[in-house]
Amino acid sequence: MRNLLIVLLSFFSLNGFCETYNVLDYGIVGDNKTVNTKAIQALIDKCSETKGTIVFPAGDYVTGTIFIKSNVHINLMAGATLFGSTDLADYPFIDHKFPTNVGEYAHHALVYANSAENFSIFGGGQINGNGKHPKLDVLRESDKHMLRPYMIQFVNCKNIRMQGIELFSPSFWLQHYLACTDVFLDGLYIQSHGAANNDGLDIDDCKNMVVSNCIFDCEDDVLCFKSTTPVGTDNVTITNCVIKTNCNAIKFGTDSHTAFTNINISNITINEPAQEGRETFFGTKHGICGIAIEAVDGTLIDNMNFSNIVINNTDTPFYIKIGDRLRKSYPEQEDKVVRDCKNMTFSNITVRGISKYASSIMGIPTYNIENIFFDNIVYETQGFTGFNPDNMLNVPENSKMYPSPEIYGVFPAHTFYVRHANNVSFKNMKVITNGEDSRHAFVFDDVHGIRVGDVDFKGDKAITPIRLINSTDAFITGNIVEYAADNLVQVEGKSTKGIMVSGNNARNLNGVVKTADEVKGSEIFQFNNWSKDMKQLMK
């Protein structure tokens, strides 16, 4: 990825911009009234032939759809704002000529490019979609809802740079990169609260993409990965960003048709949105999810890495889900099948939660999620009482529904609920509950290959922190429980086998393992655990 960044920087610095065009010399007026679409487009066409730079000095420039061409570089100087027209007639119908289900509804845009390459928009200015204007904002309640323009949409483009500008107030998605390659976004400041469906950044089947040093404040999903074409998303790095949202901060899906592979996301701070002074169209008061991975349309997920992330006060910190909705990305596509969802690492992450909704990792009965690793995690939540986990174990599958945590209600765990999974590991964690909670910390149901190691459970009086149901090959070791409870682990289910519990500090507990009658004693091995009565020591 370092080599990719060097290539991108070299391309834009060494190629040079041969000609410079000041828009004021070409009849373009920054008076916030004149609609400059034709004049701006004529200058873009001219600039494309000479591989030049178009300069917008300070001013308010109104335009309808402009089509970016290859080798065009736009410098929005400080004080320059490119405003979207509030007249829908200024946004013509666009045929993407590319196989994607987005084409069913996304046919209008303010800034658009298709099959262009080597272009950029940079400077200290702003693009403003005018999404709060009554002529556009009202459309979310009308039959013209889908006529709203995207603010920025680039399709099948290559070598793109967006740097240093502000992006404000779209009437639909703010920026959509569809099947693009070699994309570099840096230092963007994004305010996306114009109307409904105000995603901050939609990365849709792109390859070789770097997003860095950006600030997002969005109504809808922020870093939203989609796969709506046969291409697939591959080799994307996102780093050093700050996020506020009412919905999902980092989301894969729900459109998930081909692949999300080799994704690296690091150094991200996720905060709850501002609570005062505005209406919320979508989402929740605190935001739906910190990280949501929703593989429901037959996508392949492989090699995702998340590190150095802070998640503050979202309703659900982590939501990882396989489903079998299997919606097609285009009508001619063959019938879909569920594919692998595997190989994810989460490290050096701090969660501060205030919701009763736990994180979850869920496959489906016919297909398990695989190889999920959490390391060096601080997970702090508020305690909630009044729940009886014995009555909450029959969690619905809901595998064909639109995926979202709220369709499951409250889980029998307050930290992680894991079901239909292979090889899941939690180690070097602090699980902190502020106040008593009447649920388990972890519940594993139909999970095969479990590691819970070096977890420090802190909080007030609570019940057994770990519950295993019809699960196999578990190694629970080196954990400390600092509150009073009956046992460290509760084991049940006829299919349960191969459970090892060793080297745990359970001195505040009455026992270490509680085993249901249907579980064979020979499948539970306990060694060198310290419980309140010391009976498990060197057993």
Side-chain angles (χ1 to χ4, degrees):
M1 186 52 64
R2 180 175 179 271
N3 291 336
L4 169 63
L5 183 57
I6 292 172
V7 169
L8 288 170
L9 290 173
S10 298
F11 168 78
F12 288 110
S13 61
L14 298 179
N15 254 356
F17 307 149
C18 297
E19 299 287 343
T20 300
Y21 303 92
N22 188 318
V23 298
L24 301 182
D25 297 333
Y26 292 86
I28 297 168
V29 181
D31 61 0
N32 203 19
K33 294 185 295 184
T34 304
V35 179
N36 296 282
T37 310
K38 291 183 179 180
I40 294 174
Q41 189 62 57
L43 187 54
I44 288 173
D45 295 344
K46 178 181 179 64
C47 184
S48 179
E49 296 175 358
T50 60
K51 300 182 179 180
T53 301
I54 298 172
V55 177
F56 284 80
D60 296 331
Y61 304 89
V62 180
T63 183
T65 300
I66 55 175
F67 295 86
I68 305 298
K69 303 293 182 65
S70 295
N71 305 310
V72 171
H73 306 279
I74 296 177
N75 181 0
L76 290 174
M77 299 182 70
T81 300
L82 196 65
F83 279 103
S85 169
T86 59
D87 186 350
L88 286 177
D90 290 327
Y91 301 97
F93 181 91
I94 299 171
D95 184 358
H96 303 304
K97 298 180 179 179
F98 201 89
T100 169
N101 74 340
V102 172
E104 296 177 1
Y105 54 87
H107 290 291
H108 307 272
L110 174 59
V111 181
Y112 183 82
N114 193 318
S115 302
E117 61 182 39
N118 308 333
F119 63 90
S120 65
I121 304 175
F122 63 97
Q126 179 185 128
I127 301 176
N128 190 310
N130 250 328
K132 292 183 179 180
H133 193 281
K135 290 185 178 180
L136 297 177
D137 188 24
V138 72
L139 294 177
R140 73 181 192 272
E141 302 296 344
S142 75
D143 58 358
K144 296 181 179 180
H145 176 74
M146 305 313 293
L147 297 179
R148 295 172 298 158
Y150 286 15
M151 200 163 90
I152 296 170
Q153 188 174 46
F154 299 146
V155 179
N156 194 31
C157 295
K158 184 176 181 180
N159 292 340
I160 305 166
R161 178 168 67 105
M162 303 282 285
Q163 187 170 32
I165 61 175
E166 298 177 342
L167 303 174
F168 279 21
S169 194
S171 59
F172 209 170
W173 294 359
L174 189 142
Q175 47 184 337
H176 180 214
Y177 299 84
L178 175 64
C180 294
T181 303
D182 299 339
V183 182
F184 179 56
L185 312 182
D186 181 69
L188 305 180
Y189 181 57
I190 292 163
Q191 285 270 4
S192 189
H193 289 285
N197 308 108
N198 276 177
D199 291 6
L201 170 59
D202 288 276
I203 300 170
D204 190 347
D205 285 338
C206 293
K207 297 181 183 295
N208 304 337
M209 187 167 185
V210 177
V211 181
S212 59
N213 307 312
C214 296
I215 298 174
F216 298 86
D217 187 348
C218 301
E219 186 77 29
D220 212 324
D221 304 327
V222 176
L223 302 175
C224 188
F225 290 77
K226 296 180 180 293
S227 180
T228 67
T229 81
V231 174
T233 296
D234 182 62
N235 197 22
V236 177
T237 291
I238 300 177
T239 189
N240 298 336
C241 294
V242 177
I243 293 172
K244 291 183 179 180
T245 177
N246 290 97
C247 291
N248 301 285
I250 302 168
K251 178 182 176 182
F252 294 81
T254 64
D255 287 305
S256 49
H257 299 281
T258 303
F260 302 115
T261 56
N262 303 313
I263 311 295
N264 293 280
I265 299 178
S266 64
N267 303 324
I268 307 293
T269 299
I270 299 168
N271 294 314
E272 62 182 326
Q275 303 299 326
E276 302 296 333
R278 63 178 179 80
E279 177 188 1
T280 298
F281 302 131
F282 286 147
T284 66
K285 179 179 179 181
H286 301 289
I288 298 173
C289 288
I291 300 173
I293 300 170
E294 302 168 354
V296 297
D297 292 324
T299 191
L300 167 68
I301 291 181
D302 192 7
N303 192 24
M304 289 186 178
N305 302 286
F306 304 85
S307 63
N308 301 320
I309 297 174
V310 176
I311 302 174
N312 288 316
N313 293 347
T314 57
D315 289 346
T316 302
F318 304 96
Y319 175 63
I320 305 172
K321 173 62 181 170
I322 285 179
D324 55 357
R325 181 178 69 177
L326 302 179
R327 187 168 61 186
K328 293 185 178 182
S329 58
Y330 52 95
E332 298 80 14
Q333 190 175 28
E334 296 179 357
D335 290 342
K336 312 286 285 296
V337 296
V338 177
R339 299 171 70 197
D340 288 349
C341 182
K342 62 183 182 181
N343 301 331
M344 304 177 207
T345 65
F346 302 82
S347 61
N348 304 322
I349 297 177
T350 298
V351 171
R352 300 183 184 96
I354 58 174
S355 167
K356 61 187 176 181
Y357 297 106
S359 295
S360 59
I361 302 169
M362 293 184 288
I364 57 177
T366 56
Y367 220 103
N368 283 11
I369 291 176
E370 295 185 312
N371 304 337
I372 313 296
F373 306 101
F374 287 82
D375 186 16
N376 196 21
I377 310 294
V378 176
Y379 197 113
E380 181 177 3
T381 61
Q382 300 297 316
F384 291 89
T385 59
F387 299 109
N388 183 350
D390 291 339
N391 299 329
M392 304 166 69
L393 299 177
N394 189 24
V395 177
E397 297 289 345
N398 291 338
S399 64
K400 297 184 183 299
M401 294 178 64
Y402 184 95
S404 192
E406 65 267 17
I407 67 175
Y408 300 97
V410 179
F411 289 114
H414 59 71
T415 301
F416 270 93
Y417 176 79
V418 186
R419 182 173 65 182
H420 308 318
N422 300 334
N423 197 17
V424 179
S425 173
F426 298 92
K427 66 177 185 177
N428 301 320
M429 287 185 66
K430 292 186 182 296
V431 175
I432 304 167
T433 308
N434 295 314
E436 183 179 352
D437 199 294
S438 57
R439 297 166 295 168
H440 308 284
F442 293 92
V443 173
F444 299 89
D445 187 351
D446 185 30
V447 181
H448 310 283
I450 301 166
R451 168 71 183 266
V452 180
D454 300 311
V455 177
D456 187 355
F457 296 93
K458 295 176 176 288
D460 294 336
K461 181 180 178 181
I463 66 171
T464 299
I466 303 170
R467 189 166 184 171
L468 308 178
I469 306 167
N470 289 318
S471 296
T472 65
D473 300 322
F475 185 34
I476 298 170
T477 183
N479 303 292
I480 301 174
V481 182
E482 299 191 18
Y483 49 75
D486 288 336
N487 300 280
L488 172 65
V489 185
Q490 182 173 337
V491 182
E492 61 199 85
K494 293 181 179 180
S495 301
T496 295
K497 62 181 181 179
I499 311 300
M500 176 179 285
V501 183
S502 173
N504 297 282
N505 185 341
R507 65 186 186 278
N508 295 311
L509 309 182
N510 295 324
V512 177
V513 179
K514 179 182 178 181
T515 305
D517 293 340
E518 69 271 14
V519 179
K520 295 180 180 180
S522 60
E523 297 294 348
I524 311 297
F525 179 75
Q526 303 179 57
F527 178 76
N528 205 26
N529 297 295
W530 181 12
S531 64
K532 185 182 294 184
D533 57 10
M534 299 293 291
K535 289 182 179 180
Q536 298 297 330
L537 184 62
M538 299 298 293
K539 183 175 180 180

